[in-house]
Amino acid sequence: MSLSSQSEKSDLAQQRRVAIEQAVDFASKNQWSEAIAVNREIIKNFGEDTESLNRLGRAYMENGQFPSALKAYKKALKIEPLNRIALRNLDRLVEASPPKEKKGNIREKKVFFLDNVDAVVELHLQWLKPGGMLILGVPNFSGITKL
């Protein structure tokens, strides 16, 4: 590797660090539109990574752009399926969204329990009308091999 290409990589890394600091600074000041713009630029220039997508999702969420936040968190989970930040914020989005009516007033929500990396349990929660019965189910359950 030539000295010139090493210098270019170092410059790009520095530019990325500065942009990340700027995005975090905007978020810390609740300047969500600016944080969205900077995070989108980071992703455009340096590619998608879970940290940038999580920052973008948070900025969209705080700015009230829930569909865009959902897309950002889903992209983060495609890269890192057990990313706790994306999973937690997706759960917050579900909690904040109004119940969707389907199949006779049944609303469904997926819950992931991440007690450790080796054991992940996915439950489907369904309930009928407010105050109705709660139904728990574990899809495709074939036994727990490790706890």
Side-chain angles (χ1 to χ4, degrees):
M1 186 181 296
S2 72
L3 185 58
S4 174
S5 67
Q6 284 179 347
S7 176
E8 288 174 14
K9 284 185 178 183
S10 176
D11 289 346
L12 284 175
Q14 177 63 23
Q15 290 173 7
R16 185 173 186 273
R17 280 191 297 274
V18 168
I20 290 169
E21 288 174 10
Q22 187 178 26
V24 170
D25 186 53
F26 282 133
S28 71
K29 295 176 181 174
N30 295 326
Q31 295 174 327
W32 300 112
S33 295
E34 293 83 355
I36 290 168
V38 173
N39 282 301
R40 288 179 57 134
E41 196 65 27
I42 290 169
I43 291 168
K44 177 183 170 189
N45 292 332
F46 303 103
E48 292 180 341
D49 63 87
T50 55
E51 293 84 9
S52 296
L53 289 165
N54 281 331
R55 283 193 311 272
L56 181 61
R58 175 65 185 266
Y60 277 134
M61 196 165 63
E62 294 292 339
N63 211 33
Q65 296 172 277
F66 300 120
S68 296
L70 182 68
K71 287 178 189 176
Y73 290 130
K74 284 184 175 182
K75 285 182 179 182
L77 289 173
K78 282 185 180 181
I79 296 168
E80 189 181 328
L82 296 178
N83 184 279
R84 288 177 183 243
I85 295 169
L87 288 169
R88 182 181 65 232
N89 286 319
L90 274 176
D91 189 48
R92 287 179 180 161
L93 280 172
V94 169
E95 293 297 322
S97 67
K100 291 185 180 178
E101 300 297 322
K102 64 181 188 180
K103 293 186 184 177
N105 295 327
I106 295 176
R107 181 177 175 211
E108 183 176 345
K109 177 183 170 189
K110 290 183 181 180
V111 179
F112 296 90
F113 294 94
L114 300 172
D115 291 335
N116 66 51
V117 176
D118 296 324
V120 176
V121 176
E122 176 185 345
L123 294 178
H124 288 263
L125 302 178
Q126 294 180 337
W127 58 91
L128 305 171
K129 297 181 185 176
M133 185 169 61
L134 177 66
I135 304 165
L136 296 176
V138 179
N140 304 322
F141 180 74
S142 61
I144 297 175
T145 58
K146 189 173 185 180
L147 287 175

